[in-house]
Amino acid sequence: MFIERSCIFCDLPSDNHLDVCSHCLQDLPWQGNACSKCALPLSIVMETTTIKQALCKNCIELPPFFQQTFATFNYNFPIDALIPKIKSEKQRFHLHWLALCLTEKLPACLKMPEVLIPVPISKKKMLRTGYNQTEQLASELSKLLNIEVDNRLVSKNRDTRAQANLNAKQRKRNLLDAFEVQENNYRHIAIIDDVMTTGATVNEIAKHLLITGICKVDVWVLARTPL
Ligand SMILES: [Zn+2]
Ligand SMILES: [Zn+2]
């Protein structure tokens, strides 16, 4: 049976199989030019080399441990209003169409990872919220791409403060020994996160993953905050 969906943004009947109509979909803040390492949005002025090789100042000065980041959107309106809402149970259906957007934005020639690794939350936080939306996002991606998710490879030992409000030194201290990685035989993995703010969290996880012998760590996120 065909169920008519209305667009979550404009309330008009959706003209496709998603919960967003094609007009509103087009108006979303899709990521354009960005640093090929950390997906930081780059201004046109900075595009002196080919887009493929564009790097932000931070990644030139101190390259991260991960190889490349794919962000579907810039963390601007209405994505920045929508993603925080997904924490509530009724809004979780958004992860399905958002995951679909993410897969459609991946380059066609991309070498796929062996496994998807969601950014973990601490046991304490899991008890409090009962839910990790990054695990849910990874599970949606897994169904769409037929790639396994490993929820056990990386665990978080303790709660950390939100990275965005800390300076560089505090950020490092905040993440110190926060993550633990199991021994494994993977070679190429992708870390999954909903929003990448400073990149320090995924970088810390990537550092631990490389130590266990993984050769290549990619990062896939729904949205990247512009600085
Ligand atoms: Zn619409
Ligand atoms: Zn960068």
Side-chain angles (χ1 to χ4, degrees):
M1 194 178 73
F2 180 76
I3 302 166
E4 190 170 290
R5 294 165 183 270
S6 49
C7 172
I8 54 159
F9 294 114
C10 70
D11 232 6
L12 293 173
S14 180
D15 50 358
N16 57 43
H17 58 290
L18 301 176
D19 299 288
V20 186
C21 76
S22 53
H23 289 285
C24 292
L25 203 60
Q26 221 171 21
D27 283 347
L28 291 177
W30 295 91
Q31 177 152 82
N33 294 339
C35 171
S36 62
K37 279 254 181 229
C38 75
L40 184 75
L42 297 177
S43 66
I44 305 294
V45 186
M46 288 173 76
E47 297 301 315
T48 47
T49 54
T50 60
I51 289 170
K52 235 185 165 178
Q53 293 165 335
L55 288 175
C56 74
K57 200 168 146 271
N58 296 344
C59 289
I60 293 170
E61 285 173 8
L62 190 65
F65 293 101
F66 47 81
Q67 190 118 4
Q68 53 188 349
T69 301
F70 297 103
T72 315
F73 303 106
N74 291 332
Y75 196 55
N76 294 331
F77 188 80
I79 292 294
D80 60 350
L82 184 79
I83 291 181
K85 281 192 202 159
I86 300 174
K87 289 188 172 67
S88 105
E89 205 172 336
K90 272 192 201 152
Q91 303 288 332
R92 282 180 201 167
F93 71 93
H94 289 302
L95 286 171
H96 176 70
W97 69 266
L98 287 168
L100 203 63
C101 290
L102 191 155
T103 58
E104 282 174 14
K105 187 89 171 22
L106 291 173
C109 58
L110 183 68
K111 188 166 187 313
M112 286 295 167
E114 297 160 71
V115 70
L116 307 176
I117 308 293
V119 168
I121 57 175
S122 70
K123 279 200 182 116
K124 214 164 130 194
K125 192 170 177 189
M126 193 64 165
L127 278 174
R128 215 164 47 229
T129 59
Y131 174 67
N132 177 1
Q133 69 188 38
T134 310
E135 270 183 23
Q136 179 72 36
L137 172 64
S139 148
E140 294 286 349
L141 292 168
S142 166
K143 280 181 247 166
L144 291 165
L145 298 168
N146 208 13
I147 301 175
E148 295 272 318
V149 181
D150 190 334
N151 288 327
R152 288 159 174 258
L153 183 67
V154 182
S155 51
K156 194 172 181 188
N157 298 324
R158 56 177 174 81
D159 278 337
T160 47
R161 291 159 66 197
Q163 288 287 106
N165 309 321
L166 306 176
N167 66 33
K169 212 174 174 183
Q170 288 169 321
R171 268 176 210 163
K172 262 196 182 157
R173 205 179 315 138
N174 188 35
L175 293 173
L176 200 69
D177 299 327
F179 298 99
E180 202 174 309
V181 178
Q182 305 297 317
E183 279 187 36
N184 63 84
N185 294 314
Y186 300 127
R187 300 191 66 75
H188 177 197
I189 66 109
I191 300 175
I192 309 297
D193 207 354
D194 47 4
V195 183
M196 183 162 163
T197 309
T198 64
T201 302
V202 284
N203 200 35
E204 181 66 19
I205 295 173
K207 184 176 87 183
H208 287 275
L209 290 167
L210 293 184
I211 292 170
T212 68
I214 292 172
C215 311
K216 190 178 173 198
V217 177
D218 293 341
V219 180
W220 297 0
V221 295
L222 285 177
R224 175 68 157 103
T225 26
L227 284 188

